[in-house]
């Protein structure tokens, strides 16, 4: 296994939108080309299609070598950025805050001081994730949405950072062969009154004179038309250069959507051919946990694991999200959990830092209140070891994220305790639970219930965190990334919050987080 890790995976000019036979570990293998670009053609060997900063249409096939470690590292780096985009859209952040936080995420996860390496990281990570997310309609839809938002963000940054004549955007359009029909000076003068009346357009005669307009079919500018941000005449939309971003983004979406559909048709064969190398990585990529808390361990100042069978009860009340609190309370009350509950809660505990030994001890302590130790060992010990990668195929499973919990099998009322309370509890039961737990004020609980009724379950969970951790955004060392998207991120942020508030002591109510050493393979 170690020797395989040290070998390289070649990305050749005749590979597909995702790694195939020609992207291999032992050296190049000749194989048939598979469709890469939107038109199904092999487009060459250049790494990037634009020299304008890091904006790329991803139409050209990358050609360089990657080790398997780099293959996974690059993909996870980009995945963090895409999941950050999803999280911020869920939280409905103001545009300026969205841009600032996304810039910070890109800088943290896709950084480089050398443009050549930056291009390699950006392009390789895009194509690897394109491979991993082409398999199903849901995965394609998610990847398409996040990549389009990332592309638009970068293109808008390019437009804003350019000089007054948008030289950077002009260069990008020229490098990517965008065939736009410029409006002549005579036609521009003829339409000057109408063009200057468009909301948000040039505000002075001098600015209008220096603004380049393009004529495009109005069906390519529907977004601008819907917002009344362009002038339409005889089926043509007159668009200033600064607003060409919407049209370019629409073309990017169409091209990427087509490429994903083409890739989906051949993924099965490629994954089979690469079953012993990159196949498993691609199949599990969408399940990888990239946030804080997994496999981060919860540590005390004495260096020992603080999340143990002895401390988990106190931490459940203090720092666990509502879904995990319900599982914990169900376990304490019934002294057992059904299969789905054991998976959801067990993987959460593992991701939060509980060792295999402590995990087994904690479950055994509860289960043996209604059964013998022999019965527990016979029926449940194997599954706990399996979660930790000690049995079966020895994969190290990662904890469930919110989407998996929300869209998983609903719990049977009164018998099972897994699932998301905001999704699976009815309004009356959830309201009673929030009141019983004294979560926030009456107004806070009304906001949570409003999110629940609107189907915004993750926003309801994020609001729970907000009212339970006052001023968390201003507390040093509290990472709120993923709160509302992953139970372990919720737990990790809560632990950091209480640790900072209590002066960093190591106790059941004040513990520190150890930085993780990597990301485990997902289920």
């Amino acid at each position: 296994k170690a020797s395989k890790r040290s070998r390289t995976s070649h990305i050749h000019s005749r590979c597909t939108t995702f790694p195939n036979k020609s992207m291999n570990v032992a050296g190049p293998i000749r194989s048939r080309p598979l469709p890469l670009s939107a038109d199904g053609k092999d487009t060459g060997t250049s790494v990037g299609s634009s020299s304008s900063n890091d904006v790329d249409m991803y139409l050209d096939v990358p050609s360089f070598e990657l080790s398997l470690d780099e293959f996974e590292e690059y993909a996870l780096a980009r995945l963090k950025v895409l999941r950050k985009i999803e999280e911020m859209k869920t939280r409905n952040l103001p545009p300026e805050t969205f841009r600032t936080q996304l810039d910070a995420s890109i800088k943290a996860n896709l950084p480089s001081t050398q443009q050549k390496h930056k291009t390699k990281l950006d392009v390789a990570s895009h194509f690897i994730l394109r491979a991993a997310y082409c398999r199903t309609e849901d995965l394609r839809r998610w990847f398409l949405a996040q990549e389009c938002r990332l592309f638009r963000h970068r293109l808008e940054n390019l437009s804003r950072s350019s000089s007054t004549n948008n030289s950077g955007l002009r260069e990008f359009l020229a490098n990517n062969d965008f065939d736009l029909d410029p409006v002549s000076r005579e036609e521009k003068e003829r339409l000057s009154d109408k063009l200057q009346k468009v909301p948000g357009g040039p505000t002075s005669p001098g600015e209008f004179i220096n603004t380049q307009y393009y004529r495009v079919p109005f069906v390519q500018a529907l977004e601008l038309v819907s917002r009344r941000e362009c002038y339409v005449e005889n089926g043509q939309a007159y668009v200033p250069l600064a607003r060409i971003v919407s049209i370019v983004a629409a073309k990017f979406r169409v091209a990427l959507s087509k490429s994903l559909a083409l890739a989906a048709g051949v993924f099965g064969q490629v994954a089979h051919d690469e079953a012993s190398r990159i196949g498993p990585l691609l199949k599990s990529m969408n399940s990888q946990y990239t946030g804080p808390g997994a496999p981060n361990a919860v540590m005390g100042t004495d260096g020992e694991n603080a999340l143990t069978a002895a401390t988990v009860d106190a931490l459940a009340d203090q720092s666990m999200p509502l879904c995990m609190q319900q599982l914990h309370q169900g376990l304490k009350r019934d002294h057992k959990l059904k299969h789905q509950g054991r998976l959801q809660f067990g993987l959460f505990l593992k991701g939060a830092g509980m060792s295999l030994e402590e995990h087994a001890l904690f479950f055994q302590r509860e289960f043996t209140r209604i059964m013998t130790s022999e019965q527990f060992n016979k029926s449940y010990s194997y599954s706990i070891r399996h979660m930790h990668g000690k049995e079966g195929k020895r994969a190290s499973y990662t904890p469930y994220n919110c989407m998996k919990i929300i869209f998983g099998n609903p719990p049977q009322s009164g018998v099972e305790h897994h699932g998301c309370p905001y999704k699976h509890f009815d309004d009356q039961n959830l309201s009673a639970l929030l009141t019983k737990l004294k979560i926030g004020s009456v107004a806070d609980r009304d906001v949570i219930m409003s999110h629940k009724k609107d189907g915004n379950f993750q926003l309801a969970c994020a609001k729970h965190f907000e009212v339970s951790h006052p001023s968390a955004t201003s507390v040093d060392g509290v990472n709120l990334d993923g709160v509302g998207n992953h139970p372990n991120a919720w737990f990790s942020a809560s632990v950091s919050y209480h640790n900072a508030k209590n002066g960093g002591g190591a106790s059941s109510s004040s513990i520190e987080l150890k930085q993780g050493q990597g990301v485990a393979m997902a289920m």
Side-chain angles (χ1 to χ4, degrees):
K1 182 176 181 181
S3 62
K4 284 187 178 181
R5 279 286 186 182
S6 65
R7 297 172 184 171
T8 57
S9 177
H10 293 262
I11 304 182
H12 292 285
S13 62
R14 296 182 65 78
C15 66
T16 182
T17 45
F18 53 87
N20 60 45
K21 293 178 183 177
S22 62
M23 183 190 292
N24 63 82
V25 179
I29 299 176
R30 295 189 178 275
S31 64
R32 57 183 175 83
L34 298 175
L36 172 66
S37 61
D39 57 5
K41 296 179 181 179
D42 181 351
T43 56
T45 60
S46 65
V47 172
S49 59
S50 174
S51 60
S52 302
N53 298 329
D54 52 3
V55 185
D56 202 307
M57 292 289 290
Y58 305 108
L59 298 176
D60 293 346
V61 184
S63 178
F64 38 70
E65 293 183 353
L66 293 177
S67 68
L68 283 180
D69 287 330
E70 289 175 324
F71 186 91
E72 184 175 13
E73 176 188 343
Y74 285 12
L76 293 177
R78 192 181 195 89
L79 193 55
K80 290 179 181 179
V81 175
L82 299 187
R83 287 178 174 172
K84 179 65 176 179
I85 293 174
E86 179 190 34
E87 173 209 330
M88 292 190 295
K89 294 300 290 186
T90 301
R91 292 164 58 192
N92 293 318
L93 296 180
E96 186 58 37
T97 304
F98 183 94
R99 286 193 294 268
T100 301
Q101 292 194 15
L102 181 51
D103 282 335
S105 180
I106 293 172
K107 183 178 180 180
N109 296 296
L110 299 174
S112 178
T113 56
Q114 298 179 352
Q115 183 62 30
K116 183 177 179 181
H117 180 267
K118 184 174 185 178
T119 301
K120 177 180 178 180
L121 170 59
D122 180 64
V123 175
S125 62
H126 170 86
F127 279 96
I128 294 169
L129 290 188
R130 189 190 290 194
Y133 279 81
C134 74
R135 294 177 291 129
T136 69
E137 179 62 30
D138 287 342
L139 292 179
R140 291 194 295 272
R141 187 184 303 113
W142 183 89
F143 179 74
L144 182 64
Q146 313 319 321
E147 279 289 339
C148 287
R149 288 166 182 155
L150 176 60
F151 177 82
R152 188 184 187 102
H153 169 80
R154 286 172 158 174
L155 200 57
E156 289 174 345
N157 278 354
L158 177 62
S159 179
R160 282 192 295 270
S161 63
S162 301
S163 58
T164 55
N165 64 353
N166 286 289
S167 58
L169 185 56
R170 289 175 185 270
E171 179 186 354
F172 172 81
L173 296 175
N175 288 344
N176 287 276
D177 299 324
F178 276 93
D179 187 15
L180 300 175
D181 185 15
V183 176
S184 65
R185 178 177 300 179
E186 294 75 15
E187 186 174 14
K188 181 178 173 183
E189 292 177 355
R190 178 178 66 83
L191 299 173
S192 61
D193 290 341
K194 297 175 180 177
L195 293 177
Q196 291 184 74
K197 290 180 180 178
V198 175
T203 57
S204 66
E207 185 180 353
F208 176 74
I209 291 174
N210 293 324
T211 299
Q212 175 65 60
Y213 281 82
Y214 293 89
R215 183 173 47 244
V216 298
F218 86 96
V219 293
Q220 295 183 18
L222 292 179
E223 182 180 348
L224 296 176
V225 172
S226 68
R227 299 201 303 257
R228 300 185 178 183
E229 292 183 349
C230 65
Y231 173 68
V232 179
E233 181 179 287
N234 297 326
Q236 299 292 311
Y238 291 78
V239 184
L241 178 60
R243 289 180 174 168
I244 289 295
V245 168
S246 294
I247 297 172
V248 175
K251 289 192 174 184
F252 175 81
R253 171 180 283 274
V254 170
L256 180 55
S257 178
K258 186 174 181 180
S259 291
L260 286 168
L262 290 170
V266 290
F267 180 86
Q269 180 61 41
V270 171
H272 178 268
D273 293 344
E274 295 287 350
S276 64
R277 296 181 290 189
I278 60 177
L281 282 177
L282 294 176
K283 288 181 178 180
S284 66
M285 190 63 66
N286 65 291
S287 301
Q288 295 276 26
Y289 176 46
T290 55
N296 294 2
V298 180
M299 301 293 289
T301 55
D302 57 358
E304 297 296 328
N305 282 333
L307 186 60
T308 65
T311 60
V312 67
D313 291 345
L315 289 170
D317 293 334
Q318 172 195 279
S319 294
M320 288 187 187
L322 195 57
C323 56
M324 298 305 164
Q325 284 187 11
Q326 291 305 292
L327 281 163
H328 178 264
Q329 291 174 10
L331 175 60
K332 300 295 287 186
R333 182 178 62 251
D334 301 338
H335 308 299
K336 64 179 180 180
L337 288 174
K338 296 291 187 180
H339 176 70
Q340 289 296 330
R342 295 196 305 274
L343 278 178
Q344 182 177 323
F345 194 41
L347 290 174
F348 167 80
L349 295 175
K350 171 179 176 285
M354 182 173 278
S355 68
L356 168 59
E357 293 75 17
E358 291 293 331
H359 186 170
L361 177 61
F362 173 54
F363 271 48
Q364 183 178 29
R365 187 181 66 191
E366 294 300 328
F367 277 59
T368 52
R369 293 173 183 253
I370 59 172
M371 66 181 67
T372 65
S373 296
E374 291 75 16
Q375 288 174 317
F376 174 82
N377 290 329
K378 181 179 179 180
S379 300
Y380 301 105
S381 290
Y382 178 89
S383 63
I384 295 174
R385 295 196 303 273
H386 191 272
M387 285 186 209
H388 288 260
K390 303 302 181 182
E391 299 287 355
K393 62 180 181 180
R394 300 186 181 276
S396 185
Y397 299 110
T398 54
Y400 292 173
N401 60 29
C402 289
M403 296 304 292
K404 186 176 181 67
I405 294 172
I406 289 171
F407 292 107
N409 294 326
Q412 184 179 348
S413 180
V415 178
E416 297 178 306
H417 306 287
H418 67 275
C420 171
Y422 304 107
K423 167 69 182 294
H424 298 121
F425 279 29
D426 60 34
D427 292 352
Q428 182 178 356
N429 286 337
L430 179 60
S431 180
L433 177 62
L434 297 177
T435 302
K436 177 182 177 182
L437 296 177
K438 299 179 180 180
I439 295 175
S441 64
V442 174
D444 292 328
R445 293 194 289 272
D446 287 343
V447 173
I448 293 175
M449 290 303 301
S450 177
H451 284 316
K452 183 259 194 293
K453 293 174 183 177
D454 292 339
N456 298 320
F457 312 118
Q458 292 167 272
L459 289 179
C461 187
K463 181 64 177 178
H464 175 195
F465 184 93
E466 177 186 330
V467 301
S468 302
H469 303 78
S471 304
T473 55
S474 62
V475 177
D476 291 339
V478 178
N479 184 358
L480 299 179
D481 290 353
V483 172
N485 285 330
H486 204 295
N488 284 87
W490 207 104
F491 178 76
S492 176
S494 178
V495 166
S496 299
Y497 175 87
H498 289 290
N499 184 61
K501 286 291 186 179
N502 294 321
S507 68
S508 62
S509 62
S510 179
I511 52 181
E512 295 179 337
L513 290 177
K514 174 186 177 183
Q515 296 300 316
Q517 301 299 315
V519 179
M521 181 67 69
M523 294 185 73

